[in-house]
Amino acid sequence: MFSERRVLILGGTAEARALAALLVDQPATRVISSLAGRVADPRLPVGEVRVGGFGGASGLARWLTTHRIDAVVDATHPYAARMRAAAVDAAATAGVAHLRLERPGWTAQQGDRWHRVPDVDAAARMLPRLGRRVLLTTGRQSISAFLPLTGLWILARVVDAPAEPIPAHVRLLRSRGPYTLEGELELMRTHRIDVLVTKDSGGPLTEAKLAAARRLELPVLMIERPAPVASSTAVATVEEAMDWLSALPTQPG
């Protein structure tokens, strides 16, 4: 009897899109990519796509069972801690194989002036001691922590505008990577930026801001990733994810 492997990919990251592109043409494979729907105009992966939440871990477990999913690949953003935990719990409840695909964080290089902090609130507390003109690249969902810092001028680069009102000392710059070193240097020089705030997202698409800060000898507030969620298997590359998936058994179609 014809059988197929059914794979759910969670997340709109570059790794999630790359994995979907490899899987969509694989024989006897059905791949579904799931996006949270928090970005108004996301980059869509190839193949089948669903948008929106599942209703927590229990809702995701029911969805996995109903759609007879063989494997969940959680390729969500490194800071999507709630979704990561829900994916582990749901896969265990549904008896589905689970893989965490997460790109490595960035590594400081010679000349970097990084100040690592555990979370957004710690970054907001330390920021006034490091500079007065800020390039903030932590995303719209964390921007509220920095709005009370009225003694600073903040250029907040976001994909979508936040829902809350933006005070006069904060300027929004709606933009999406990838970025170049030349472009980041021009941005920082034009706005006389003297401190960068970012998350340790990793990957090449937005790494140019770190090279620009290094070139300009600017301090960088680096917000650490959330603590990892225990899972059976975790990999750092799309190629490793493909190897893991290739070893999975298929089930009747």
Side-chain angles (χ1 to χ4, degrees):
M1 180 184 293
F2 176 80
S3 60
E4 69 174 357
R5 174 181 51 183
R6 302 183 181 99
V7 180
L8 175 67
I9 301 175
L10 300 172
T13 59
E15 291 76 20
R17 294 192 298 273
L19 182 60
L22 291 176
L23 287 175
V24 74
D25 292 326
Q26 292 287 309
T29 300
R30 180 186 177 192
V31 57
I32 305 167
S33 297
S34 178
L35 308 182
R38 293 176 179 171
V39 177
D41 185 24
R43 291 192 180 106
L44 295 177
V46 297
E48 189 174 345
V49 179
R50 72 174 299 279
V51 178
F54 292 93
S58 60
L60 176 55
R62 287 192 298 271
W63 194 95
L64 296 174
T65 301
T66 300
H67 291 81
R68 303 177 64 200
I69 298 298
D70 295 289
V72 176
V73 179
D74 174 13
T76 54
H77 193 274
Y79 290 80
R82 187 178 302 175
M83 188 65 236
R84 286 162 49 193
V88 171
D89 291 346
T93 299
V96 171
H98 172 274
L99 178 71
R100 172 63 182 167
L101 170 57
E102 182 173 308
R103 59 182 176 261
W106 289 310
T107 301
Q109 300 183 24
Q110 184 175 359
D112 282 329
R113 298 172 57 197
W114 289 8
H115 301 262
R116 289 190 174 273
V117 290
D119 52 39
V120 170
D121 290 336
R125 290 193 297 269
M126 182 180 287
L127 182 54
R129 303 201 298 269
L130 296 179
R132 286 292 178 266
R133 296 185 66 84
V134 183
L135 176 58
L136 179 65
T137 64
T138 59
R140 66 181 174 90
Q141 294 185 65
S142 59
I143 196 172
S144 59
F146 301 92
L147 298 183
L149 302 177
T150 55
L152 309 181
W153 184 86
I154 300 175
L155 180 64
R157 186 162 65 190
V158 294
V159 176
D160 294 322
E164 58 263 61
I166 300 301
H169 70 286
V170 178
R171 175 178 171 184
L172 292 182
L173 173 61
R174 294 189 59 182
S175 176
R176 180 173 9 211
Y179 301 103
T180 66
L181 174 58
E182 293 76 15
E184 297 290 66
L185 285 169
E186 181 181 2
L187 179 72
M188 293 179 184
R189 286 167 173 157
T190 298
H191 294 286
R192 295 180 287 117
I193 298 300
D194 60 12
V195 60
L196 168 66
V197 184
T198 188
K199 293 178 176 178
D200 190 10
S201 300
L205 295 182
T206 60
E207 190 175 16
K209 61 190 171 187
L210 301 177
R214 185 184 312 121
R215 178 83 62 85
L216 298 174
E217 300 182 347
L218 303 184
V220 176
L221 259 177
M222 182 69 71
I223 299 171
E224 299 276 15
R225 294 182 175 188
V229 178
S231 62
S232 55
T233 309
V235 297
T237 68
V238 173
E239 292 74 21
E240 290 174 308
M242 287 293 292
D243 290 342
W244 181 84
L245 287 166
S246 68
L248 290 180
T250 58
Q251 62 174 299

